């Protein structure tokens, strides 16, 4: 999609620190990390948020979920990690392309919000 930051990252028009890629998804380091490990996993097909995830194929949905575990193992997040997907203004979603934050490398707060 034109003018979507993450579509431009997936296409390589905007540089990123890639950590994983397969047929369906792309993962890269967050530019403003909120934990020692902070990675974004995005579908290659543009959908705005998790609220529209039903527009993705079952294969793409499965690939994203399995990618999260693969990336966590690759990054050595053996003590655990948190996965977050902000959706819409109430959740402060700032990029309108579905993404999952993988946060790890430190103890997370017990309270999530
Ligand atoms: P959210 O606020 O949930 O929509 O998350 C968007 C995330 O994208 C934020 O954590 C930003 O730091 C991150 N971000 C924005 N621009 C870039 C970029 N060029 N490369 C990597 N991460 C980015």
């Amino acid at each position: 999609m034109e003018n979507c930051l993450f579509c431009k990252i997936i296409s390589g028009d905007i540089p990123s620190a890639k950590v994983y890629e397969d047929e369906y998804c792309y993962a890269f380091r967050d530019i403003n990390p909120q934990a020692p490990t902070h990675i974004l996993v995005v579908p290659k097909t543009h959908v705005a948020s998790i609220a529209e995830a039903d527009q993705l194929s079952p294969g793409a949905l499965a690939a994203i979920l399995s990618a999260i575990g693969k990336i966590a193992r690759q990054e050595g997040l053996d003590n655990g990690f948190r996965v977050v997907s902000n959706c819409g203004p109430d959740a402060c979603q700032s990029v309108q392309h579905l993404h999952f934050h993988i946060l790890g490398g430190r103890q997370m707060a017990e309270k999530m919000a």
Side-chain angles (χ1 to χ4, degrees):
M1 172 172 277
E2 256 181 73
N3 293 327
C4 168
L5 173 65
F6 288 173
C7 285
K8 287 180 183 165
I9 284 178
I10 293 161
S11 68
D13 291 343
I14 290 178
S16 65
K18 173 173 131 178
V19 297
Y20 177 86
E21 181 172 17
D22 64 27
E23 183 186 345
Y24 295 109
C25 59
Y26 185 83
F28 54 101
R29 296 196 191 279
D30 196 293
I31 206 165
N32 183 24
Q34 295 185 36
T37 301
H38 187 169
I39 290 164
L40 301 172
V41 186
V42 304
K44 287 185 171 175
T45 299
H46 180 93
V47 295
S49 75
I50 199 165
E52 287 83 38
D54 58 348
Q55 293 172 15
L56 293 172
S57 68
L61 291 168
I64 293 168
L65 283 183
S66 0
I68 290 170
K70 285 181 205 163
I71 293 163
R73 282 191 289 281
Q74 182 181 302
E75 294 289 317
L77 299 176
D78 304 327
N79 210 41
F81 56 93
R82 181 165 284 170
V83 178
V84 174
S85 188
N86 295 319
C87 179
D90 277 3
C92 303
Q93 182 182 2
S94 62
V95 178
Q96 312 307 313
H97 180 129
L98 171 60
H99 51 283
F100 293 88
H101 298 256
I102 301 176
L103 298 149
R106 66 163 163 78
Q107 179 67 54
M108 298 289 144
E110 199 171 345
K111 207 160 180 254
M112 280 191 286

